[in-house]
Amino acid sequence: MLTDVQRSNVEGEIRANNVGKIYDPEGVNLCALENCTLEIAPGEFVMMVGPSGCGKTTLLNAIAGFSNVTSGTIQLDGKIIASPDIQQSPNADRMVVFQNGALFPWKTVMQNLTYGPIVQKKMSKEQAVEEARRVMKTLGLSESTEDLYPNSLSSGMKRQVEIIRAVINNPKVLLLDEPFRALDNISKGRMHRYLLDVFTIARKTIFFITHDLEEAVFLSDRVLVMTTRPGTIKSEISIDIPRPRDFRIITSEHFVELKKKVADAVREEALKAFEAGERELA
Ligand code: ADP
Ligand code: MG
């Protein structure tokens, strides 16, 4: 576990200040985010939950640089990366792991892992392969997988490779949008332990969207609950469970209590969203 002193040396502070996002202002004019303000400390693991269609992916995409915001600002380590005038393109300092995965199917695991640093000319091919092997070893992915193609990997292993690929780029921030949604419970449990190891070893700020409340409480330092659309932060619940965390805590009274707090906040918003007939796109 990182001490507070160690964390203060880690980069990756995110500040969103009164962020608003209107899709298609001249046409449909859909307000996805309004006055959305949040802070994520360097090296903090923050989860976001909220009803479908409330604006979670919209916010993550704006942090990642995939889309712009129409009001407010987002800062990374004090520098504005998103505002109505600025949209800093996707960059290795903010790596995203998606729900449906994004490995190149025609490249082997090793080629997938080394692609980013080589293309960005951050490493030679030899250096990238060496670094990939080092990270695979540290994070416990067997070298025997390096010549396999993504199609021959289980869904859990694909996610593992994607997370390693993100870590190899040495980002300040890891952004995860429901990455384990399609996994069965056993694979999901494995990925949780894996991600907790990544968090401890790689010391990244993590912003993770999920609809799985147990996952939210088990992994994070803090859970943010988003309101129904237009999304803003409804409440936050600090998860004061010591690390390292073992899955057996999920039956403890304190865990159940925290999960109930999150569930109550989400349920209230989900009912509103349901009444408004919200649908999610992705
Ligand atoms: P969540 O991730 O919380 O389910 P999203 O951020 O994907 O929600 O979407 C928020 C709202 O914005 C939804 O009503 C969705 O339909 C709408 N939306 C998302 N992307 C677009 C887009 N490209 N154009 C228009 N509306 C969009
Ligand atoms: Mg989404």
Side-chain angles (χ1 to χ4, degrees), residues 21 23-24 28 30-33 50-61 177-178 181 209 226 229 278-282:
K21 169 74 178 181
Y23 286 108
D24 194 13
V28 180
L30 186 137
C31 185
L33 297 171
S52 290
C54 72
K56 303 180 294 298
T57 297
T58 301
L59 179 64
L60 185 137
N61 282 346
D177 194 352
E178 308 206 32
R181 186 179 181 147
I209 293 173
M226 203 176 232
R229 191 171 64 76
E278 280 293 345
R279 297 275 180 280
E280 69 179 329
L281 270 190

Side-chain angles (χ1 to χ4, degrees), residues 52-246:
S52 290
C54 72
K56 303 180 294 298
T57 297
T58 301
L59 179 64
L60 185 137
N61 282 346
I63 297 172
F66 295 133
S67 67
N68 72 336
V69 300
T70 42
S71 54
T73 56
I74 300 176
Q75 292 174 308
L76 175 63
D77 291 328
K79 186 170 167 247
I80 294 181
I81 54 169
S83 76
D85 309 315
I86 297 170
Q87 182 185 341
Q88 202 187 78
S89 2
N91 186 292
D93 60 5
R94 292 156 277 147
M95 293 300 294
V96 184
V97 178
F98 297 99
Q99 170 184 324
N100 298 318
L103 294 174
F104 300 120
W106 60 88
K107 289 185 188 289
T108 63
V109 166
M110 181 54 82
Q111 288 164 346
N112 266 287
L113 291 177
T114 54
Y115 179 79
I118 294 174
V119 165
Q120 291 160 37
K121 300 198 165 42
K122 280 191 178 160
M123 295 180 199
S124 66
K125 188 174 166 215
E126 291 69 29
Q127 284 170 327
V129 168
E130 197 180 312
E131 178 63 6
R133 290 203 177 122
R134 190 187 69 78
V135 179
M136 282 169 81
K137 193 165 175 207
T138 315
L139 296 177
L141 184 70
S142 160
E143 263 191 38
S144 62
T145 56
E146 66 178 56
D147 294 325
L148 300 179
Y149 286 88
N151 276 349
S152 59
L153 303 176
S154 66
S155 310
M157 277 172 97
K158 277 185 205 157
R159 290 295 106 82
Q160 229 174 329
V161 173
E162 282 158 18
I163 292 170
I164 291 180
R165 181 169 68 167
V167 170
I168 280 175
N169 282 280
N170 196 24
K172 294 176 177 175
V173 178
L174 270 182
L175 303 167
L176 300 104
D177 194 352
E178 308 206 32
F180 309 143
R181 186 179 181 147
L183 300 186
D184 62 79
N185 274 341
I186 292 177
S187 311
K188 200 188 245 194
R190 266 196 218 121
M191 289 311 299
H192 287 163
R193 281 173 45 195
Y194 180 70
L195 192 64
L196 286 176
D197 284 349
V198 170
F199 181 60
T200 309
I201 295 166
R203 301 179 186 183
K204 301 296 172 199
T205 303
I206 299 185
F207 181 58
F208 187 133
I209 293 173
T210 185
H211 67 280
D212 179 335
L213 305 187
E214 192 164 286
E215 174 172 84
V217 175
F218 183 59
L219 296 177
S220 75
D221 297 319
R222 198 150 52 97
V223 179
L224 302 177
V225 181
M226 203 176 232
T227 61
T228 184
R229 191 171 64 76
T232 184
I233 307 301
K234 175 191 174 75
S235 54
E236 60 169 60
I237 292 115
S238 281
I239 309 299
D240 54 351
I241 300 174
R243 299 180 189 273
R245 294 180 185 170
D246 183 279

